[in-house]
Amino acid sequence: GPRPPLLSEVETYDAVERRRLRVTPGMTGLWQVSGRSNLSWEESVQLDLGYVDNWTVAGDVRVLGRTVGAVLQAEGSY
């Protein structure tokens, strides 16, 4: 699932953003392998909500595989 946010961040979430917390946090998230810092907050939330609403084991395997590529390319990390 999405990486765990800080409590101070959660306190600022609206009802839509709180839906991101419906899954157990993981070591990586869909937004992190889809552009990371190149994405807006809204884009990151939408990716996380898509993950929450459509979770599968196969999807997790794909995210883990994409994580390797994202780390090696270091694209979107500042």
Side-chain angles (χ1 to χ4, degrees):
R3 290 176 82 179
L6 300 172
L7 180 57
S8 60
E9 293 171 329
V10 173
E11 291 171 346
T12 67
Y13 285 4
D14 63 24
V16 172
E17 294 163 340
R18 284 186 183 268
R19 284 186 42 232
R20 301 169 73 225
L21 307 175
R22 290 186 178 174
V23 296
T24 303
M27 61 182 177
T28 189
L30 187 55
W31 72 268
Q32 293 166 288
V33 298
S34 301
R36 297 193 305 194
S37 298
N38 291 333
L39 301 174
S40 70
W41 169 248
E42 292 78 17
E43 291 169 318
S44 299
V45 169
Q46 288 304 311
L47 285 168
D48 281 346
L49 293 178
Y51 175 89
V52 168
D53 294 339
N54 301 294
W55 179 87
T56 64
V57 172
D60 273 357
V61 171
R62 283 191 296 275
V63 169
L64 284 173
R66 290 178 62 190
T67 299
V68 173
V71 168
L72 294 176
Q73 292 177 353
E75 185 175 327
S77 62
Y78 305 114

